[in-house]
Amino acid sequence: MVTRTNARRNPALNSRPNPVVAFVVAFFGNFIVQRFLLFLLTIWVAATVIFMLPRLTGQDPVKEKLLLEAQRGGSVQAGMNEMAKEYSARLGLDLPLHVQYVNYLSDLSRLQFGYSIAYFPRTVNEIIADSIIWSLGLMTVTLSLAFVLGTGAGALLGWSRSPGWLSYAFMPLLTLSAIPQYMLGLVLMFIFAIILNLLPFFGAYSPGNLPEWSLSFVLDMLKHAILPALSILFSAVGFWAIGMRGMMINTQGEDFMVQADAKGLNGARIFVRYAIRNALLPQVTGLAISFGTLLTGAVLVEVLFQYPGLGNTLFYAIRVSDFFQITGIVMTIIISLSLATMVIDLVYPLIDPRVKYSQN
Amino acid sequence: MARAAGTRNLTMGTRIRLARRRWGIFFQERIEPIFLYGRRNPSLIVGLAMLGALLFFTVIGILVYGQTEPHLAGRAQQSRLDAYVSSGAPVQDKRLPPSWCTWCEDIVEREPDERPSLFQYPMGTDTQSRDLFATNLRGIPLTLGTGLIAGLLSVGIGTVTAFIAAYYRGVPDVLIRLLTDVGISIPGLLILIIIRIQLGTELVWWQLGAGLAAVGWVFSSRTVRSQVLVLREQPYVEIARQSGMSGLAIIFREMMPNLIPYITASFVGSVAGSILASIGLEALGLGDFSSPSLGMTVYWVIQFGAITLGMWWWWLFPLVFIVIIFVSLFLISAGLDEWSNPRLRRQA
Amino acid sequence: MVTTEQDARPDVASNADDYALRVEGLKVYYGTPRGLVKAVDDVSFNLRPGERFALVGESGSGKSTLAMAIMRLTREPGHIAGGHIYLGDRDLVEMEEKEIRSIRLSEMALVPQGAMNSLNPVMRVGDQIIDGIMDHVPPGEGTPNRTQLNTRIHDLLVRVGLDPTVSRLHPHELSGGMKQRVAMAIAISLNPHIIVADEPTSALDVVVQRQIMQTLGRLQEGLDAAVLLVGHDMGLVAQFADTIGVMYAGKLVEVGSVPDVFKDPKHPYTKLLIQSLPSFDISRQFVGIPGMQPALLNLPPGCAFNPRCPSVHERCFREVPEYLNLDVGRGVACHLFDEEAAN
Ligand SMILES: Nc1ncnc2c1ncn2[C@@H]1O[C@H](COP(=O)(O)OP(=O)(O)OP(=O)(O)O)[C@@H](O)[C@H]1O
Ligand code: SF4
Ligand SMILES: [Mg+2]
């Protein structure tokens, strides 16, 4: 972007098109490159904010916490002193700011989040690796299912030729979409786990069961996932359905929909190829924007059901003020989220011909 | 002047007739359209009515409850409204179901004659024998207040940055656009978690609101900026610019009226988003522990396992209030959408 | 020049079947919160096969409403409140949705307004031409294969004056004029008997407007289809049409052949319209008529034109003038003439 402005201002560059400049212009003008730079920028900004905050206050709660843990003594805490020293040497407030910053960024670029304070000598990476599988499993399944179901429901709800009784589904869906996921979780937990006593209400598998690839374990696991998954699903289905309904109503007001009717196309074709196909576009853009909100909601559902994913781990890290773990988990979530939204943005031109990769 | 002199000579009857006509016109032009519009836009009306009812309930509750004598001995209470002050909790009022619920079984064994009167604990008590009715009455304004502060600040910052970006174009625009693009893709809740953890102190309701605005303004900025960009190209703005109107005058006289629907919608959206995030933050244990806000109640509910204890009244009432808040805000924002985008009206 | 030739007009159409389309007493109302808007009120006219019928009138007089009602495309809050639209001996107003779908495009096609985004933005032009053809394959026949379809697309695009490679483009890659040509290609893809064109050239520049009208004329001759053209621009319309119908406030107030209407306009409103045109060759929008068209919600009692009419007299405030047939294909709705007829 910057390069192009320079090229325009500088007559020397304009008169003799330099192949290097032309390449640089083309490179940075490229949609994929721009999107990737935005991805890096996002992570860098997030990391910098996280780095700067404690330094602004001038206190070093991390060091205090480390020393506090070290004072408790005991076999595990023996290494805590070392850790406190290393922290001070690399990231502590005693060092010049830029040195701390460079060290911090270099750790981050290798995705090294350091040791956990609470579970020392385990590293944050190990802890994240243990829990991220559960989160990924729960969230990818529920969030993608919710998108499909919600969009489908919204398409039918917003379609003027849908049967009239369908409109009764609008109010419940609206309410579902307005209830935070964890509140819905409370209700589901109460109904299915406490009153009906049908489903387990905490953990990812029964205590005493060890993770293994046996049928009974998988069934047990699925049983444990039902309630958290439903809490996320219901609320997210409502969210997508309401959005899609609005887009469908908007789309039906478009001139090309009148024209599709005037062409005497059959109803199914108009519904799918004209209405849904166009209403889906803003829905996909919305996917990128709403991902964060949906994901943080899902994090809280994990806490409610003590589901051993990232969210629950974050909750326990917060309770014991395990700064490295908190930072590590937050950065992991931010990176995965940015990655997901980048993928969506990159896929988008494939479904909307008006957006091109090679656009300025 | 002449007209004023003229009216002075009029008879009383004529004056009344004139006034009636003036008010009639006022009614026809100002009031009637609102009702007519309300019929076309039921979501806006229903949403406003729900929110109004909740506020009414809270205000009346606070007024009435604020007059009552504290009935728990040994607590530093002015009235029953101060049930959240938790020092010296007497044991016998623990875990009471709502006292009107005559069919509810007590969780803690007690003598039959100790049963409180019918309206002593309209929403029961928690494990620390706090009056949950008082807790909720206090919590609703706290939670709404957090959202309001966050919403006002977000929209304020968002609108100003949007105008700076759209009006000055060039470098400020690029910077603000990048900042909003980045800000939107980072979940504000996570950044707030870090802020809160690093600050090490509990945030009271308005500080929480300010924190939420610090991460939430990007959404308003984006909405408003895209609208300003559309408006900027409108012929009447161009005419105003060429006739030498100043930038501020253009913004406030020409653009603002057209932006109001979008700014209002963005405000409602950011209030709802902020309340959602604040409850999330509090449920994670990052709220103000001395505050009875709805989110803190959710936190205690999870902490004490109210669900497994069978204390449905502990979570059901705050849940209902939270749902009312979100549904009403959603309806209002849907209604505002219809206002700014009449096409949606067709199927309202 | 006016293209109408006296001998090109068939003589008295004695039989109902001689008309391509007969509109009888059509009423289209919009239910609005402020009341019922009678956008088309008791309109009758006939369309002969191959006739070019132009509908003119001020903005808001109900032209589009009428055109859409003929395609049975009236949308909420509008509804057809009465009347008949006969296509041959079938009444479109009574017809099932399924049947009307099969008639659209194959028997009557719509050319949309030029400025409109009437093409699906996410489909290639070629696919948008095909899907109409595909959905109108008669039950007995097999669906045409890809090569046959490609030849048809090629042929249609060439007929509307476009390069055949356009079929692979998306609508946003076309200019306004090109989009309008694509819309025409779609409209003629099944050789309809009737083409309804609602301001097909609005928002296009003057040169393109003429080209589009010429193309429409050529296509019409090729198909020998009847065209119902809705237009603002009396000059442009006059060069294209055989017959002209003037609408005012939801009513058809005058119908006649273009030379008749221009030589001897009957209705005071038509007279004013023609006076406001400086000459035939310069196209003009309606600007020069004093007063405003009344809001359809509260029309004045009697003749809706009475506040602006130079020949207004007492009866005009009491009675709504009936539409009066003066001759075959010639009629007017004004008290000046029913009095004459009565005398
Ligand atoms: N969806 C609608 N709801 C309510 N009233 C409508 C609607 N569509 C049109 N009308 C009313 O019907 C009348 C006729 O509208 P129509 O679009 O047919 O006019 P027109 O002659 O085509 O005008 P133009 O030349 O501007 O296209 C107008 O007065 C308009 O106010
Ligand atoms: S009926 Fe009367 S008012 Fe209406 S056009 Fe004729 S003369 Fe004029
Ligand atoms: Mg029109």
Side-chain angles (χ1 to χ4, degrees):
Chain A
M1 203 175 293
V2 179
T3 332
R4 225 181 305 134
T5 355
N6 283 345
R8 206 176 297 136
R9 287 219 190 100
N10 191 334
L13 285 178
N14 261 351
S15 54
R16 258 182 298 116
N18 181 330
V20 177
V21 172
F23 173 76
V24 170
V25 168
F27 183 73
F28 284 100
N30 185 295
F31 177 71
I32 300 177
V33 174
Q34 279 185 358
R35 190 58 190 80
F36 185 69
L37 289 180
L38 183 66
F39 166 73
L40 289 184
L41 183 72
T42 307
I43 291 167
W44 174 72
V45 168
T48 306
V49 169
I50 290 173
F51 173 82
M52 279 301 171
L53 279 171
R55 272 104 188 147
L56 286 178
T57 55
Q59 292 161 339
D60 198 343
V62 185
K63 193 170 164 190
E64 281 162 26
K65 172 79 182 173
L66 281 171
L67 292 176
L68 191 77
E69 291 286 322
Q71 276 166 14
R72 289 210 188 137
S75 56
V76 178
Q77 264 66 30
M80 207 50 94
N81 263 322
E82 314 277 300
M83 200 173 147
K85 283 204 193 91
E86 203 204 305
Y87 169 77
S88 295
R90 281 177 57 78
L91 296 168
L93 294 187
D94 323 336
L95 280 178
L97 199 62
H98 64 272
V99 180
Q100 296 176 38
Y101 189 52
V102 169
N103 285 337
Y104 169 80
L105 283 188
S106 86
D107 282 356
L108 184 70
S109 64
R110 286 174 288 120
L111 293 178
Q112 288 301 318
F113 299 117
Y115 287 100
S116 155
I117 300 176
Y119 301 103
F120 186 81
R122 292 191 77 194
T123 64
V124 173
N125 291 59
E126 285 166 17
I127 296 173
I128 290 177
D130 280 352
S131 52
I132 200 169
I133 307 162
W134 295 108
S135 289
L136 272 181
L138 185 65
M139 311 230 174
T140 45
V141 172
T142 48
L143 289 181
S144 35
L145 201 60
F147 182 78
V148 174
L149 291 178
T151 304
L156 286 173
L157 273 178
W159 186 236
S160 54
R161 280 178 222 142
S162 290
W165 54 263
L166 249 181
S167 60
Y168 292 110
F170 177 61
M171 224 28 223
L173 276 176
L174 185 148
T175 317
L176 279 184
S177 78
I179 304 177
Q181 298 167 354
Y182 41 92
M183 300 261 90
L184 211 58
L186 278 174
V187 178
L188 289 179
M189 187 192 260
F190 182 68
I191 295 174
F192 290 101
I194 307 300
I195 295 190
L196 301 177
N197 203 7
L198 279 178
L199 292 165
F201 58 87
F202 74 92
Y205 45 87
S206 302
N209 240 350
L210 283 180
E212 54 175 1
W213 283 115
S214 68
L215 183 65
S216 70
F217 181 76
V218 170
L219 283 179
D220 185 50
M221 207 174 73
L222 287 178
K223 235 167 112 180
H224 279 79
I226 289 178
L227 284 183
L230 282 185
S231 323
I232 301 171
L233 196 66
F234 277 153
S235 156
V237 162
F239 177 85
W240 293 120
I242 301 299
M244 185 66 177
R245 175 180 173 272
M247 292 332 301
M248 283 294 279
I249 293 170
N250 261 349
T251 306
Q252 282 169 91
E254 297 282 352
D255 304 326
F256 63 79
M257 292 299 292
V258 180
Q259 197 55 22
D261 266 331
K263 279 161 79 178
L265 301 181
N266 75 46
R269 188 194 295 274
I270 299 181
F271 181 56
V272 178
R273 300 294 300 272
Y274 283 70
I276 293 189
R277 184 67 176 73
N278 280 284
L280 204 57
L281 298 176
Q283 191 82 342
V284 172
T285 329
L287 186 64
I289 296 173
S290 316
F291 232 54
T293 320
L294 291 176
L295 201 76
T296 40
V299 160
L300 289 159
V301 170
E302 288 190 355
V303 175
L304 178 68
F305 288 98
Q306 298 175 43
Y307 201 79
L310 275 186
N312 202 35
T313 315
L314 178 66
F315 177 67
Y316 281 103
I318 289 171
R319 288 187 64 176
V320 296
S321 304
D322 187 340
F323 298 99
F324 297 132
Q325 225 193 102
I326 296 170
T327 317
I329 294 173
V330 167
M331 279 315 295
T332 308
I333 298 180
I334 289 178
I335 292 172
S336 353
L337 200 67
S338 307
L339 211 60
T341 46
M342 180 171 69
V343 170
I344 294 170
D345 281 354
L346 289 181
V347 168
Y348 187 77
L350 297 182
I351 60 168
D352 188 346
R354 284 163 296 187
V355 182
K356 284 266 147 66
Y357 285 122
S358 54
Q359 222 173 22
N360 304 330
Chain B
M1 210 48 225
R3 257 185 82 191
T7 29
R8 221 168 282 144
N9 301 332
L10 292 176
T11 64
M12 202 57 198
T14 325
R15 270 194 215 176
I16 290 176
R17 230 176 299 130
L18 268 179
R20 203 183 283 155
R21 218 179 117 202
R22 209 172 294 140
W23 281 104
I25 290 169
F26 174 79
F27 182 81
Q28 259 185 4
E29 288 188 350
R30 307 271 152 183
I31 309 293
E32 213 180 59
I34 297 179
F35 283 97
L36 276 175
Y37 186 66
R39 228 187 303 155
R40 250 187 312 167
N41 193 345
S43 10
L44 187 64
I45 302 302
V46 173
L48 285 172
M50 276 172 76
L51 198 61
L54 183 69
L55 285 177
F56 183 75
F57 166 81
T58 313
V59 169
I60 296 295
I62 287 175
L63 287 179
V64 171
Y65 236 50
Q67 300 304 312
T68 52
E69 290 288 307
H71 62 278
L72 291 182
R75 287 192 175 185
Q77 289 179 327
Q78 299 292 318
S79 69
R80 291 185 58 181
L81 204 53
D82 296 327
Y84 211 72
V85 181
S86 58
S87 55
V91 189
Q92 72 274 13
D93 282 345
K94 269 187 180 178
R95 302 184 186 181
L96 284 185
S99 26
W100 44 263
C101 179
T102 45
W103 63 92
C104 292
E105 283 173 35
D106 283 346
I107 290 177
V108 177
E109 287 290 320
R110 72 194 72 234
E111 300 297 318
D113 57 312
E114 274 180 49
R115 195 143 189 132
S117 70
L118 213 53
F119 291 107
Q120 191 160 1
Y121 296 111
M123 293 186 181
T125 62
D126 67 8
T127 46
Q128 251 113 60
S129 52
R130 284 183 290 217
D131 181 350
L132 286 170
F133 187 58
T135 307
N136 286 327
L137 282 182
R138 279 292 177 87
I140 294 168
L142 278 172
T143 299
L144 285 176
T146 305
L148 197 67
I149 295 270
L152 285 175
L153 285 178
S154 296
V155 167
I157 303 173
T159 310
V160 171
T161 50
F163 273 120
I164 293 175
Y167 197 79
Y168 292 101
R169 315 188 191 197
V171 179
D173 186 23
V174 172
L175 284 181
I176 288 172
R177 210 178 57 219
L178 273 181
L179 207 57
T180 49
D181 278 356
V182 166
I184 281 168
S185 44
I186 304 174
L189 188 68
L190 295 180
I191 296 294
L192 273 182
I193 289 174
I194 303 278
I195 296 180
R196 165 64 185 74
I197 286 283
Q198 298 285 13
L199 282 178
T201 54
E202 284 164 18
L203 300 173
V204 300
W205 64 275
W206 60 269
Q207 291 169 328
L208 186 57
L212 288 163
V215 292
W217 64 270
V218 287
F219 290 95
S220 315
S221 183
R222 211 167 92 134
T223 319
V224 178
R225 178 177 166 276
S226 64
Q227 273 313 309
V228 174
L229 287 187
V230 172
L231 288 180
R232 204 176 60 185
E233 307 304 326
Q234 296 293 309
Y236 64 90
V237 173
E238 190 55 38
I239 290 168
R241 191 179 297 133
Q242 278 169 10
S243 65
M245 216 170 178
S246 78
L248 276 180
I250 292 178
I251 287 175
F252 283 102
R253 259 186 256 146
E254 305 292 328
M255 289 183 157
M256 252 336 183
N258 293 299
L259 282 174
I260 292 293
Y262 297 93
I263 293 179
T264 322
S266 169
F267 169 72
V268 176
S270 88
V271 169
S274 304
I275 291 179
L276 182 69
S278 81
I279 295 177
L281 210 60
E282 288 169 330
L284 278 173
L286 292 173
D288 175 4
F289 281 76
S290 61
S291 143
S293 67
L294 295 179
M296 283 316 292
T297 307
V298 173
Y299 173 75
W300 295 122
V301 162
I302 298 177
Q303 280 306 291
F304 283 89
I307 298 192
T308 36
L309 288 175
M311 297 168 70
W312 54 268
W313 57 91
W314 199 352
W315 55 267
L316 185 63
F317 296 110
L319 176 90
V320 168
F321 295 133
I322 290 174
V323 169
I324 290 178
I325 291 175
F326 282 117
V327 172
S328 65
L329 287 179
F330 182 91
L331 288 174
I332 292 172
S333 83
L336 289 173
D337 266 354
E338 274 169 35
W339 179 30
S340 54
N341 182 5
R343 220 184 235 173
L344 282 172
R345 266 179 222 152
R346 263 179 228 195
Q347 286 210 346
Chain C
M1 245 325 281
V2 179
T3 51
T4 325
E5 303 285 318
Q6 206 61 19
D7 54 15
R9 293 178 53 203
D11 273 322
V12 185
S14 53
N15 194 328
D17 294 340
D18 292 345
Y19 291 113
L21 188 81
R22 286 186 297 132
V23 176
E24 279 182 10
L26 188 65
K27 294 177 175 156
V28 188
Y29 297 166
Y30 292 102
T32 73
R34 300 183 148 266
L36 205 58
V37 175
K38 301 183 174 180
V40 170
D41 198 15
D42 203 2
V43 166
S44 307
F45 68 95
N46 300 327
L47 209 57
R48 289 187 310 274
E51 183 180 14
R52 297 171 172 191
F53 190 107
L55 210 53
V56 296
E58 276 165 308
S59 185
S61 54
K63 307 180 298 288
S64 299
T65 306
L66 176 57
M68 293 311 254
I70 288 172
M71 295 289 300
R72 267 279 302 274
L73 285 170
T74 305
R75 288 192 154 199
E76 284 291 309
H79 59 277
I80 296 181
H84 306 277
I85 306 165
Y86 291 107
L87 185 72
D89 50 3
R90 293 162 297 174
D91 186 356
L92 297 184
V93 174
E94 309 276 292
M95 210 173 259
E96 295 281 319
E97 183 66 23
K98 197 164 166 254
E99 211 177 335
I100 196 93
R101 272 183 190 282
S102 73
I103 283 179
R104 288 185 194 139
L105 200 67
S106 64
E107 295 187 43
M108 47 199 297
L110 180 74
V111 176
Q113 203 165 311
M116 293 203 167
N117 309 309
S118 56
L119 297 175
N120 185 348
V122 296
M123 262 169 101
R124 288 180 200 282
V125 165
D127 295 336
Q128 302 198 47
I129 299 178
I130 298 174
D131 64 5
I133 300 176
M134 298 286 276
D135 280 1
H136 284 90
V137 175
E141 286 173 33
T143 47
N145 65 30
R146 192 69 223 187
T147 0
Q148 289 169 317
L149 287 171
N150 282 341
T151 358
R152 277 179 89 169
I153 296 172
H154 184 284
D155 173 50
L156 286 167
L157 288 175
V158 170
R159 272 166 74 192
V160 297
L162 283 173
D163 191 290
T165 53
V166 163
S167 78
R168 303 188 39 77
L169 299 180
H170 283 101
H172 71 278
E173 295 164 298
L174 308 180
S175 72
M178 287 163 85
K179 279 188 218 170
Q180 199 55 1
R181 285 173 192 275
V182 171
M184 286 195 289
I186 293 173
I188 59 165
S189 60
L190 292 173
N191 306 332
H193 315 309
I194 297 170
I195 296 174
V196 178
D198 185 1
E199 306 196 32
T201 59
S202 63
L204 299 175
D205 72 59
V206 185
V207 181
V208 183
Q209 279 188 3
R210 303 228 163 204
Q211 290 171 351
I212 294 280
M213 289 313 291
Q214 278 163 9
T215 311
L216 186 62
R218 222 183 50 233
L219 295 172
Q220 185 267 342
E221 276 161 16
L223 292 171
D224 202 26
V227 172
L228 179 74
L229 174 75
V230 174
H232 257 120
D233 187 329
M234 197 126 177
L236 196 70
V237 152
Q239 293 176 36
F240 176 83
D242 312 326
T243 313
I244 209 163
V246 181
M247 276 193 85
Y248 188 83
K251 290 193 181 294
L252 199 59
V253 293
E254 178 159 4
V255 175
S257 74
V258 170
D260 287 357
V261 169
F262 273 82
K263 241 182 287 156
D264 177 26
K266 302 278 186 201
H267 198 277
Y269 177 61
T270 319
K271 281 184 189 146
L272 285 171
L273 282 182
I274 289 168
Q275 276 166 27
S276 72
L277 291 171
S279 87
F280 260 37
D281 299 313
I282 301 168
S283 69
R284 265 291 161 92
Q285 308 265 322
F286 303 138
V287 278
I289 301 176
M292 288 259 293
Q293 176 175 240
L296 287 183
L297 265 171
N298 43 2
L299 287 177
C303 172
F305 191 54
N306 65 30
R308 298 162 77 185
C309 181
S311 324
V312 61
H313 49 287
E314 185 267 333
R315 207 176 143 206
C316 308
F317 296 100
R318 276 190 289 112
E319 290 172 44
V320 180
E322 293 278 318
Y323 183 83
L324 197 69
N325 275 311
L326 302 173
D327 193 352
V328 177
R330 185 90 176 99
V332 65
C334 170
H335 290 312
L336 295 175
F337 298 92
D338 52 8
E339 283 151 22
E340 225 170 63
N343 294 340

